[in-house]
């Protein structure tokens, strides 16, 4: 019951705050503050004349409010979005606005409508803020910081209001719009908000235009120094084709005459019918470098800033390692275990980044699920990068098992701000091919530049 009442109260106050910010211009907010100040000073009308200023200011506000009750003219708009955006980088795109009215409209301001960012009751009740248990009893009871955190998480981007040029009837001038993605994920755009301020510039009248659209926001990326994991090119059974599927297949090279012992399934029947001799297909097995990128997704909480930084680091390594002439396997656990391969003609790294844009923390599966898929794939790789959210016996065991195969590893451990760095010790005879680094989650770029 308490949670329900808190949710209702926060929804109401957030709606009221949003209405005030949308309805009044900065000048209007200043006039309201001045009216309240002069009202307090001019309580005694015999001793001060500030009440006259108070009356004048409220008359101005009243006229502006009445003017703003009339809805702004309706407009139509459509946008041309790029396929992808990146968190932390401005996104520019074109918008064309049509004025279906009969007169030219001036001083029109356009803003993107992202929908209602307020969390639902289920989200508010079941998603504690990261680190909420460390807050004092007062904050844990009222859960205000939880509400603010959920609001920030649902607001993937912020839009800059754009003042439009004079809109002539029937014209569709193009205007460049800009928004700033804050988080990775699917950004859904509901439509547009058009506003016109009153002649005094104190209040606004609004109209909406529905234009649903969406764009995928990729994770933030960091600059990485030149990193060499070492390791030699490995024999890949089946060549490149095996990188994206499981099964015994090879890379086609040419045709030649049949030799004793050649499999009958390799006979090229079309060439055999033309020459009158048995002709078989010849294949080539390839040796090339293959790297593994292992992402730790296991969290006790539904979300964490540390996890977001881990995804950003994984995206940075995906770009850096894919620039080399090699294959890259991304291994992580979500609703199920995933192994995504890119590079060397198999798939584009952009596909891997799109998957990282949607990856979510795993709160129910076990670390052994990740260990199983890694050990099944690790024999094919030349080196690996492990991105861990913490350091414990399970993660230590996985690193030592990979090390026992002689595979070079770069192990990155993200540490929460203010926490003591974990002690990294390996069993006797282990850790010979392992390079470790502890990165403060609040200083990721600084930590990566030291690798």
């Amino acid at each position: 019951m308490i949670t329900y009442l808190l949710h209702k109260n926060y929804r109401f106050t957030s709606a009221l705050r949003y209405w005030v910010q949308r309805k009044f211009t900065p000048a209007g907010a200043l006039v309201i503050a001045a009216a309240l100040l002069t009202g307090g000073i001019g309580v005694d009308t015999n001793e001060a004349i500030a009440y006259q200023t108070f009356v004048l200011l409220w008359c101005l506000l009243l006229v502006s409010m009445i003017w703003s009750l009339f809805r702004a003219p309706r407009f139509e708009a459509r946008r041309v979005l790029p396929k992808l955006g990146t968190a932390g980088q401005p996104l520019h795109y074109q918008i064309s606005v049509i004025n279906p009215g009969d007169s030219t409209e001036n001083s029109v301001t356009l803003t993107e409508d992202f929908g209602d960012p307020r969390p639902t009751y289920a989200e508010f009740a079941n998603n504690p803020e990261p680190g909420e248990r460390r807050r004092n009893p007062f904050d844990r009871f009222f859960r205000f910081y939880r509400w603010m955190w959920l609001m920030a998480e649902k607001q993937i981007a912020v839009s800059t209001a754009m003042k439009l040029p004079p809109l002539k009837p029937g014209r569709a001038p193009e205007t460049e719009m800009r928004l700033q993605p804050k988080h990775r994920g699917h950004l859904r755009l509901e439509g547009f908000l058009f506003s016109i301020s009153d002649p005094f510039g104190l209040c606004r009248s609004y109209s909406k235009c529905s234009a649903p659209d969406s764009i995928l926001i990729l994770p933030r990326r960091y600059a990485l120094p030149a990193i060499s994991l070492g390791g030699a090119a490995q024999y890949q059974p089946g060549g490149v084709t095996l990188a994206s599927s499981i099964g015994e297949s090879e890379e086609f090279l040419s045709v030649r005459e049949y030799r004793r012992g050649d499999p009958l399934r390799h006979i090229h029947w079309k060439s055999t019918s033309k020459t009158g001799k048995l002709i078989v297909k010849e294949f080539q097995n390839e040796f090339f470098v293959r790297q593994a990128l292992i992402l730790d997704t296991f969290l006790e909480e539904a979300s964490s800033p540390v996890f977001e930084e881990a995804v950003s680091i994984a995206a940075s390594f995906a770009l850096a390692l894919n620039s080399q002439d090699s294959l890259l396997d991304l291994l992580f656990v979500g609703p199920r275990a995933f192994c995504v391969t890119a590079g060397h003609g198999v798939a584009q790294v952009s596909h891997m980044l799109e998957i990282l844009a949607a990856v979510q923390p795993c709160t129910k599966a076990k670390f052994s699920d990740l260990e199983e898929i890694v050990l099944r794939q690790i024999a094919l790789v030349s080196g690996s990068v492990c991105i861990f959210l913490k350091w414990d016996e399970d993660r230590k065991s996985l690193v030592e098992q990979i090390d026992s195969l002689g595979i070079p590893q770069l192990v990155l451990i993200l540490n929460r701000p203010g926490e003591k760095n974990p002690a990294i010790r390996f069993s006797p005879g282990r850790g010979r091919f392992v390079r470790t680094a502890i990165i403060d989650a609040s200083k990721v770029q600084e930590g990566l530049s030291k690798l």
Side-chain angles (χ1 to χ4, degrees), residues 34 66 94 100 106 125 147 158 196 243 248 375 428:
I66 294 173
Q94 296 295 320
N106 299 295
W147 175 268
V158 292
I196 299 179
E248 192 67 28
L375 296 180

Side-chain angles (χ1 to χ4, degrees), residues 255 257 267-279:
V255 294
E257 288 190 12
I267 294 177
H268 193 266
W269 294 106
K270 189 174 182 180
S271 298
T272 299
S273 63
K274 288 182 179 180
T275 61
K277 300 179 180 179
L278 281 177
I279 303 296

